[in-house]
Amino acid sequence: MGNERGIAVIGSGYVGTVMAACLADLGHEVIGVEIDPAKLASLNSGVAPFFEAGLEERLAAGIESGRLVFTDDYQSAMDRSEIVFLCVDTPPGTNGHPDMSSVAGAARSIGAALHEPHIIVTKSTVPVGSGNWLEATIEAELPLGVDRDVLCVVSNPEFLREGSAVSDFLHPERIVVGGDCEDAIEKVAHVYDRVLSQDFDGGDPMAKPVLVKTGRATAETIKYAANAFLATKISFINEIANICEWIDADVAEVARAVGLDSRIGPKFLSAGVGWGGSCFGKDTAALASMAREQGIEPLILDAVRRVNTNQRHVVVRKLQDHLRPLRGARIGLLGLAFKPGTDDTRDAPVITIARSLMEKGAILRASDPLVNSLPEVPDLRVFADPYDAVCDSDAFVLLTEWPEFLEMDFDKIADCMRGKVVIDARNAFDPEAVIGAGLVYEGIGRHARH
Ligand code: NAD
């Protein structure tokens, strides 16, 4: 269906693989480009290189149908496509700027392989204005004799969340497409026809996404503004939580009542250990740095980021209060992934917390349903069975609210622990169940210790 020359998706990470598999599932001919040989081999055998619900079956079906292939050969990808979605990583760089080396590398490879007109679509989150730089980078590599008019760069930011990425991709609330060439915008929007009409098995015609067509810089800005606002909500409620602790109010009840106001809404108002993951930290840093470059002091963004960093230390301070000194204290950490439903540990709160606790001499054991080691904290012992992380401990901390952890038996835990302290850094346990087992419960911003 759709485009005769098909679609290329460059970079097969969380965004690219989900996009490639979903577009193939919707009937498009898709060629994924990936430079990591291990990932490429895994993808071509239909095995996702990371966990995401609903992905593996779509990947395998796409490959089986012949509509989805993966390669490291840019020439064949460009020859077989008209629209190229750029989904490579933009990790944190220096001074808040994202590291654009993967985008630059992909742009050069695209340019060298272009002969016919192509639409290059940035899905990677890139600093505002990157479209112009990308165009110039690709143009500089075009083979001799190839007209510069072969190229149009469009921004189409991605809003999916890890843990529900497939569902988010298929059921977005909005699709943003920004650029200067009307024809290219129409073609990119056309790729999403079935998502926009929700005309697929499992689609919801009552919840059709809004298509936002705009300028390229505006589209790039929308992505940063959306992530910055979500990050702000989280830091806001965490600051309220810290205030609640001093006045003996319960932040969960405060947040519920505040969120009942439809101008505010209930989402992203869960107090806890703050955000983690590959996007919020990097994107708020990038937006702040862009503002500074223009002479604008990003007062809110700076505060939002400081509150989030501080929140990780709140957990360490709570442990210190209960266990002082931490030297020799045995502490269990439940959860390494930055949130449930993913095996991604990029910028996970556990990294800061584990390092800080180890520096203070604590002895740590951790558990996660999907993650069995943390490269940033190589000495951290990780167990598949969460009871192995909490038994014999003086205290344990819930850092990721995996359902497996929420279903644990507190009587069994109370029997096997050396101490009694439970720090619920996600406010996800039932305090009464914890206390009922004879343990000491402390959440974030909930009534003073039980
Ligand atoms: P990722 O690190 O999981 O995947 C990037 C992939 O690109 C890797 O597999 C890497 O090997 C590959 N790659 C790098 N250079 C390449 C090249 N020159 N040619 C081909 N492949 C190359 O990253 P991700 O989490 O999928 O994020 C991708 C982009 O999307 C980032 O800009 C991110 O900010 C943005 N984004 C991410 C999410 C998310 O939840 N992860 C959500 C929205 C937007």
Side-chain angles (χ1 to χ4, degrees), residues 9-18 32-37 39-40 43 49-50 52 71-72 74 86-91 98-110 123-126 157-163 165 223-224 227 277-280 282-283 338-339 344 346:
V9 177
I10 314 290
S12 307
Y14 288 87
V15 170
T17 309
V18 168
V33 181
E34 172 56 52
I35 51 167
D36 178 329
K39 269 190 187 172
L40 187 58
L43 289 161
F50 52 86
E52 196 59 56
T71 181
D72 56 3
Y74 270 85
L86 208 49
C87 303
V88 299
D89 46 305
T90 50
D99 174 350
M100 297 287 280
S101 52
S102 291
V103 181
R108 285 193 293 269
S109 304
I110 290 170
K123 262 215 169 290
S124 298
T125 306
V126 293
E158 181 53 58
F159 300 98
L160 62 74
R161 297 160 297 177
E162 286 174 32
K223 173 65 188 175
Y224 281 109
N227 271 1
S278 65
C279 291
F280 284 177
K282 150 178 93 74
D283 294 348
F338 82 93
K339 67 172 175 176
D344 194 348
R346 287 179 285 183

Side-chain angles (χ1 to χ4, degrees), residues 18-310:
V18 168
M19 173 164 210
C22 288
L23 288 182
D25 197 33
L26 294 171
H28 291 285
E29 299 287 328
V30 183
I31 180 160
V33 181
E34 172 56 52
I35 51 167
D36 178 329
K39 269 190 187 172
L40 187 58
S42 169
L43 289 161
N44 272 325
S45 61
V47 177
F50 52 86
F51 176 78
E52 196 59 56
L55 177 61
E56 198 136 295
E57 49 269 40
R58 283 176 172 80
L59 196 60
I63 288 171
E64 173 83 27
S65 71
R67 283 196 301 276
L68 178 59
V69 290
F70 290 94
T71 181
D72 56 3
D73 178 4
Y74 270 85
Q75 192 61 63
S76 74
M78 292 308 112
D79 290 349
R80 292 168 59 176
S81 64
E82 178 184 13
I83 302 181
V84 182
F85 286 92
L86 208 49
C87 303
V88 299
D89 46 305
T90 50
T94 44
N95 298 330
H97 288 277
D99 174 350
M100 297 287 280
S101 52
S102 291
V103 181
R108 285 193 293 269
S109 304
I110 290 170
L114 282 193
H115 294 280
E116 297 172 284
H118 274 73
I119 300 165
I120 312 298
V121 190
T122 40
K123 262 215 169 290
S124 298
T125 306
V126 293
V128 179
S130 292
N132 303 341
W133 163 81
L134 187 62
E135 221 159 51
T137 310
I138 297 174
E139 275 177 10
E141 299 296 325
L142 289 175
L144 279 177
V146 175
D147 196 324
R148 281 162 189 246
D149 290 345
V150 295
L151 193 60
C152 180
V153 174
V154 167
S155 168
N156 168 221
E158 181 53 58
F159 300 98
L160 62 74
R161 297 160 297 177
E162 286 174 32
S164 54
V166 169
S167 169
D168 289 349
F169 185 84
L170 293 171
H171 307 274
E173 283 163 329
R174 78 297 215 191
I175 292 173
V176 176
V177 188
D180 303 327
C181 4
E182 190 54 38
D183 184 42
I185 290 186
E186 287 308 323
K187 284 187 173 170
V188 173
H190 186 47
V191 170
Y192 291 101
D193 273 351
R194 294 187 66 195
V195 176
L196 287 163
S197 59
Q198 288 290 292
D199 171 25
F200 56 90
D201 200 15
D204 181 359
M206 301 302 287
K208 292 181 184 167
V210 176
L211 174 63
V212 180
K213 294 182 196 171
T214 182
R216 195 161 67 193
T218 303
E220 291 165 346
T221 308
I222 288 168
K223 173 65 188 175
Y224 281 109
N227 271 1
F229 186 74
L230 294 173
T232 303
K233 269 187 117 174
I234 295 172
S235 281
F236 171 80
I237 201 64
N238 281 333
E239 185 152 295
I240 297 293
N242 296 337
I243 296 168
C244 280
E245 291 191 358
W246 287 102
I247 50 186
D248 202 17
D250 188 319
V251 74
E253 289 174 38
V254 170
R256 180 171 176 274
V258 168
L260 285 170
D261 184 330
S262 61
R263 293 170 302 175
I264 298 172
K267 294 186 180 165
F268 278 69
L269 282 183
S270 300
V273 69
W275 78 70
S278 65
C279 291
F280 284 177
K282 150 178 93 74
D283 294 348
T284 50
L287 189 54
S289 136
M290 282 182 258
R292 249 183 212 104
E293 273 174 12
Q294 303 307 320
I296 299 164
E297 195 60 25
L299 300 171
I300 294 178
L301 291 172
D302 283 349
V304 163
R305 290 173 53 74
R306 282 211 340 257
V307 169
N308 197 63
T309 305
N310 179 57

